[in-house]
Amino acid sequence: WKAFNFFDVSEVKPADSECASLFNSPELSSICSGSDNIFLGSSDGQVRILSSAFKVVRTFHAHHSGSITHIKQIDGTSLLITVSEDLSNEPVLKVWALDKPDKKTGGPKCLSSLNVSNGRKQFPISALATLDNVSQLAVGFANGSVTVIRGDLINDRGAKQRTVFESEERITGVEFREGPTTTLYLATTGRILTLTISGRGQGQPAKNLDDNGCGLGCMTVDSESGDVVVARDDAIYYYGANGRGPSYAYEGPKQLVSTFGDLVALVTQPRSDAASKTSILRKFVGSGADDRYRSSTFALLDTDLKYVAHTELLTTQIRTSFAEWGDFFLLTLDGKLFRYHEKSLNQKLEILYQRDLYVLAINLAQKVGVDTSQRNVILRRYGDYLHKKGDYDTAMQQYLKAIDNTEPSQVIRKFLDSQRINNLIEYLEELHEHDKATVDHTTLLLNCYAKLKDTDKLETFIKSGTNFDLETAIAMCRQGGYYDQAVFLSKKHGEHDRVVDILIEDSQKYDEAIDYIHRHEPEVAYPNLMRYARVLLEHCPDETTQLFIEYYTGQYRLKKDTPVVPTQAASGGAASAVQNLASFIPLPYRQATVTPSPATQDNQPLSLSTEEAAAAAKADPPREYKVPRPRTAFSSFVDHPDQFIVFLEACLDEAEMDEPDKIDLHTTLFEICLDIAGNKTGQEKQKWETKAKTLIDGQDISMDASNVLLLSHLSDFRDGTVLVREQQGLRFDIFRSYASVGDTASVIKALRKYGPEEPQLYPAALAYFTSSPKALQEAGDELDLVLKKIDEDGLMAPLQVIQTLSTNAVATMGMVKKYLGETIERERKEISNNRRLIESYRGETDAKRKEMDELGTKSAVFQTRRCSACGGSLDLPTVHFLCKHSFHQRCLNQVGDADVECPKCAPTNNNIRAFRKAQEDSADRHDMFKDTLQRSRDKFGTISEFFGRGVMAAPARSANGIDKLDFDDNRQPPSTTDGSDPGGLLRDDESLLSNVVDGVIERDRRKLRRRFVKYLSFASAILSCLCAGSITAYSLYGPLFQSRLHFTQAQVNAVSIAAELAMYLPVPLFGYLCDRFNPRPLSLLAGIFFALGYLLAAAAYASGPLKEGGFPPAIMVLAFVGVGSGTSCMYLSAVTTCAKNFGRGKHKGLALAIPIASFGLSGMWQSQIGSRLLYERSPKHYGEVDVYRYFIFLAILLLVVGVIGSLALRVVDEEELIDEAVSELERSGLLEDSPFFQRSVLHDSGNGYGTLESSDTISNSAESDDAELDSTNRKYRSYSEDARRKTWLLNTETRMFLFDPTMWFLAAGFFLVTGPGEAFINNLGTVLDTFYPPPLSGPPDSNSPATHVSIVALTSTFARLLTGTLSDLFAPTAQASLFDEQSTKRFSCSRLVFLLISTVLFSFGQLLLASGLIQSHPSLFALVSALVGLGYGAVFSLTPIIVSVVWGVQNFGTNWGIVAVVPAAGAAVWGAIYAAVYDGAAGSADDSGADRLCYGVGCYAPTFWGMVACSWMAVGLWLLAWRGWRRRNILV
């Protein structure tokens, strides 16, 4: 027997002295327990009832004579049985109802009372037993007789007594056992007997069970099993319904036996020294001493599990034992009462664990009936014990039994050794059987199979249907090279995509993959085809191309198994071996074309011929599905041009193709032909170029001209460019393209072909031929022909020809000697003729004037005698006209007093008047004049003609009007001359010269005025930027929001994020307004935003924390939304003004860098003012910025600056920017014609085309008013047309900007760099606080937030100025014009190089902070601030410069606004990340409002590691953008 201490022993010491004396009283004669009470019987006949507190709760007198020797309480009822004995009388037995009081005595009611008969023999009762219903009682006597009492003792309806057994041996125990029959077990000192007292067998004599009896008190009954327990000196015996049961050896003289639950309580007497000790005591105390000084041993045994739950040696004898309240009690002879409290199961198990008795622990747990989880804990610990001992197999068995509640990883780690791999496999398989396996378990099991190369087990596992993670199983099969099994699993579970992936990526069975794809529905086949198109085209080009063609032409059919065409059997045994091997491969999918094995050939269907199989396949109708657009397949054919062409041509042959798809197909086929031609030479190149030309030469081919033009230009396919431009009538562009590459032969060819229709080509050809000696030499005699054509058609004035030839020192006088001679001779003749005409006209004019004078001063003599109308003789009344015609008055048909005109001269006069009126009407038809001038070849002649019509006449001068060139009010207008003034011609020449000089002076004045306005705007922009960046000083007062207003770090970041979102998100809108209107209203709006925002923020700060009645954090967020909006408006208005005013100069980089750098400086000087001037002077917060006063200061300052900007910010010569942009779009040839290019938008200003005002053109007031109204209308139309053209241009530029992929690369990199930069600046103060945990008071002044804000601002400013200057000095410049060579520099460096270097420096600063180096050396934080400032400033300086260089300045506000939005998202993302990391490291503050502060590298390191990664991602994106610009020949 293994002995344990499963019980806690304590002596019961009742607090009540009366109760304490009862256990030691000699009057105590009997004791029992039940129904949560203890019952004590005394020798005076009284019964005392004790509670669980060992207090006497009730006492009553049960018997008036004799001692109560036996007492028994029926558990679960209120019945109590007492037996009193007096050797002079028969024993008296009474049954009491404890719950029914007696009305007389007040005690319990006695239900019945009877004398127990023993045949009138006076022997004491040695044993008593009763049934639970008290229907039968058995009383054993010391003389060996047993009396059974039957009757209704509870209701006192009488009872019968019968002596059922008599013996010479003393009765030591009686016990009942109920069942089908009621059996009475009898124990004597020499035998164990049974007697049936009711039921079958009743009346038979006692049956002897054992020839060995037991001592008094050594027999009891097990209440749980009903078996009788007998304790002898050698063992413990059980007797059941079938007789003697098991026995358990336990030696020692037994004194007392009882049961406690499933335990047997034994009291034994030690064998050794028992007699000697007693004799020694007796010598001292005398022979009358009792047994109280004899020792005894008490033990609690578990006979089922054969262990001793408790054993104890007592120095005195045990009087009795009983169990109640879940404890076991022993009462000694000296009156001591001991309580034995059983330990909990866990305590027992711990004791067993300590002794490594795990089997016993398991059995104990099973006996107790613990749940499965507790049992599994024991099994697991047993397994751990066995594993530690090295008994791995047995340990695994225990783990398998405990698999339901065991963490698999605890077991798996113990068997990861390769020698224990079989045990591990066994465990993992059991996990899958119990559906407890995870992805990792499946992975490990498959790895084990793979390591053992146990293919059979692997396949068995896969096919068993065991629950496992499909993804993991397939992945492990693929990693282990078991591709067939992976395909089986994928196909079994309908993972079609994965089947294709394995066949292609792992097995590299590309033909099988194509076949598998072709066997599935379109919704399955199409995604797989597109996913692996490039790989399949690489290895199976023809099959893949055919599948593409079928799918994209709507002819897709499922591929079916084609019956095998009979072929000659393979020779030799090798083929048969392959067939046999293939038949054992556990693959559900196998090619239909594999030759069947001999065993199955007889079962094959009849084979068809190839033609029949193809016909059967075509008979199957195509599947119905949505045919995708062909362009979705284009990217799949990269690097496979031959297959691509087959695909494109097949799609073009499809009649039902939509028109947009046909355009895509034609365009792509044209492009691929050009690409192939570019890689070929000789005849092959010509072949592909011819094919490309055929595509665009047809009339029914629908291709976008701009696409063809662009592709031809990129591929240097001149025939395509020429053909498209011919179709669109862009002949001059064709000529210019030849000239730009110096192809003289093509220039001559184009001149001959297009010259007759495009005469302006001849002046261009003249300029080209004389542009270089090589061109002149190649032109040969063509130069003379060009000069002849120019001379014949009057395309250029001789002076223009001379100017063109003198541009380059190429042409000589000898080349143009003939031309000049002929021209001079012709001009001389023309001058001579003109002079003769002038003299003739002058003579006629003088004659007319003389005639007019004579008519006005001399009398006329009329000598006509006949009427000019009727021919009759004149008679009175007669009318004579000064034209010498005379008429009868009656012949004139005169009516009233109307004026009469000579009928003969009237038609001629009417014609003259009509002609004069037409001239006057045409004087205002300036559009007709310009149209005639454009179509005329003799420009000067046309001008002279219209000058004669009065078109050039200046309108009447208004009362305070000023002519175009007449800006000097003191100068008199030129006087007119008449024929009588001989000096008139000289005065006209002097007036013309004076007007020209005045015009030059006015031009210089305008130029000086524009320059003054430009630099005044530049100064105002710098002032605006110097003040606009007040938000960058947020870290100066951001920590005070935490300490003063009790904001959380997330709330502090929410304020800054709101400001940044408001600063960045509306930037495109503000840029749009700035471009469409002008920057001045935007500057005024910025001042209003700033004033409102900072005033509201000051009020919110002054209100205090929320718990003290202050404003909620949302008010502060709203205030800083206004601050952010003001920052965006003011910054954008200033930068846009500088970009447009200086964007075309050579210092564009510096002009943008200075205001941007000023913006960075604003945070520095404003933070210094806040920390050194506007600081608090109270002792508690001395030196901290006074946030309220600081906000008021910023509100006033920025409002004033906004008003100044609204007056001073102006864009100079914006019309020229628009005109240049329009011209560039026209020259590009990539845009369709627009009405804005066909309509003249520069209307007449109202003063005509003349430069001088004539004094004789002043008309009456009505005519003057009409002219002024007409001028106003023209000005309005011109302004409206300019506005429409500007809007159209800017919208076009915006669309081009948004659809440019390189813009998105630039913007994405800008997002990845500026976001971390903004987050660093905003949280600079909290990062510094993490370096100085308590009890340090915070960062010193040398390491304060204000200091580092200044460092960031200074380094950022330095970087912006430096990069702007370097970009101007070293950045490459673009080609100026068509015939100019590209300007070169001794050394050039792209702006992208500066951008990438600055980004790397930026990442180094973040790397220092993330590595934790600064945490131990806070003084080095200045290095981090410097590196971040350098990178941040350079990026913010170079990015807008690059935007202006790549996409121009005319739409700079909108373009830069779009790019500038991305820092808002970056700041929000990284601000939230930093706040989450910071708050997570700091923990939650308590409800008292304590500050949430964090200290240590864990507060920020994860955030800055992420920032480092983003910086390097930005470098990669910018390299992609740079590559795109270089391909487009954009010099950045």
Side-chain angles (χ1 to χ4, degrees), residues 755-756 759 762 787-796 937-938:
Y762 290 99
L787 288 173
K788 181 179 180 182
K789 184 65 175 179
I790 291 174
D791 186 32
E792 290 177 352
D793 295 345
L795 301 177
M796 296 177 67
R937 294 185 178 181
D938 186 3

Side-chain angles (χ1 to χ4, degrees), residues 1001-1298:
I1001 294 174
E1002 176 63 16
R1003 183 191 62 190
D1004 293 340
R1005 288 183 180 180
R1006 286 197 300 268
K1007 184 176 181 181
L1008 181 61
R1009 185 164 56 250
R1010 288 197 301 268
R1011 182 175 299 178
F1012 173 76
V1013 172
K1014 181 185 295 186
Y1015 285 103
L1016 178 63
S1017 299
F1018 184 65
S1020 178
I1022 293 176
L1023 176 63
S1024 297
C1025 288
L1026 274 174
C1027 300
S1030 60
I1031 190 62
T1032 59
Y1034 181 78
S1035 58
L1036 178 67
Y1037 47 83
L1040 296 180
F1041 289 170
Q1042 282 183 299
S1043 58
R1044 300 288 184 84
L1045 302 182
H1046 298 164
F1047 283 9
T1048 64
Q1049 181 63 42
Q1051 290 172 338
V1052 173
N1053 275 8
V1055 175
S1056 65
I1057 290 172
E1060 289 170 358
L1061 290 175
M1063 181 169 63
Y1064 289 112
L1065 292 182
V1067 171
L1069 175 62
F1070 295 148
Y1072 178 89
L1073 297 176
C1074 201
D1075 288 332
R1076 270 60 178 180
F1077 301 99
N1078 59 71
R1080 288 182 291 168
L1082 214 60
S1083 180
L1084 180 61
L1085 183 62
I1088 296 173
F1089 275 138
F1090 273 126
L1092 295 178
Y1094 276 119
L1095 289 176
L1096 182 58
Y1101 184 84
S1103 67
L1106 180 61
K1107 291 186 177 181
E1108 298 177 6
F1111 291 173
I1115 299 299
M1116 189 66 74
V1117 171
L1118 178 61
F1120 273 83
V1121 168
V1123 173
S1125 301
T1127 303
S1128 175
C1129 288
M1130 188 168 288
Y1131 168 78
L1132 195 61
S1133 63
V1135 173
T1136 303
T1137 301
C1138 295
K1140 292 190 175 184
N1141 283 340
F1142 298 94
R1144 294 177 295 171
K1146 61 181 179 178
H1147 300 299
K1148 66 177 69 175
L1150 189 60
L1152 279 176
I1154 291 177
I1156 294 174
S1158 302
F1159 182 79
L1161 283 175
S1162 59
M1164 181 194 71
W1165 72 266
Q1166 290 174 5
S1167 63
Q1168 293 300 324
I1169 287 179
S1171 60
R1172 301 184 184 277
L1173 295 179
L1174 302 176
Y1175 61 88
E1176 295 191 10
R1177 291 168 173 80
S1178 61
K1180 182 178 180 181
H1181 303 291
Y1182 185 81
E1184 295 182 353
V1185 62
D1186 188 339
V1187 180
Y1188 177 77
R1189 294 169 57 204
Y1190 184 63
F1191 284 170
I1192 296 297
F1193 162 73
L1194 292 177
I1196 298 173
L1197 172 68
L1198 294 169
L1199 178 61
V1200 172
V1201 173
V1203 173
I1204 293 175
S1206 68
L1207 300 175
L1209 293 177
R1210 295 174 182 268
V1211 178
V1212 180
D1213 296 335
E1214 186 175 12
E1215 295 79 5
E1216 294 183 8
L1217 292 175
I1218 301 300
D1219 291 341
E1220 290 180 1
V1222 171
S1223 299
E1224 183 178 353
L1225 290 177
E1226 269 189 308
R1227 290 194 302 269
S1228 66
L1230 301 179
L1231 297 177
E1232 297 178 356
D1233 291 340
S1234 170
F1236 294 101
F1237 298 138
Q1238 299 173 353
R1239 183 185 298 118
S1240 177
V1241 296
L1242 298 176
H1243 283 283
D1244 183 68
S1245 63
N1247 289 331
Y1249 288 89
T1251 58
L1252 301 178
E1253 181 179 285
S1254 177
S1255 60
D1256 60 357
T1257 59
I1258 301 176
S1259 183
N1260 56 40
S1261 60
E1263 294 176 351
S1264 177
D1265 292 340
D1266 293 340
E1268 183 176 357
L1269 180 60
D1270 186 63
S1271 174
T1272 303
N1273 292 335
R1274 285 196 300 271
K1275 289 180 180 180
Y1276 174 77
R1277 289 195 301 271
S1278 176
Y1279 175 79
S1280 176
E1281 193 71 16
D1282 288 344
R1284 290 179 58 207
R1285 183 178 63 161
K1286 176 181 177 181
T1287 301
W1288 178 89
L1289 172 68
L1290 296 181
N1291 291 339
T1292 301
E1293 294 280 354
T1294 303
R1295 285 193 297 271
M1296 295 173 63
F1297 180 76
L1298 290 175

Side-chain angles (χ1 to χ4, degrees), residues 1407-1456:
L1407 183 63
L1408 287 175
L1409 194 57
S1411 64
L1413 177 65
I1414 308 301
Q1415 185 68 34
S1416 55
H1417 301 84
S1419 59
L1420 295 179
F1421 192 75
L1423 179 60
V1424 176
S1425 299
L1427 290 174
V1428 172
L1430 285 172
Y1432 182 78
V1435 169
F1436 252 104
S1437 175
L1438 288 169
T1439 304
I1441 296 175
I1442 293 173
V1443 170
S1444 68
V1445 171
V1446 177
W1447 293 283
V1449 297
Q1450 59 273 4
N1451 201 37
F1452 175 81
T1454 305
N1455 294 347
W1456 173 232

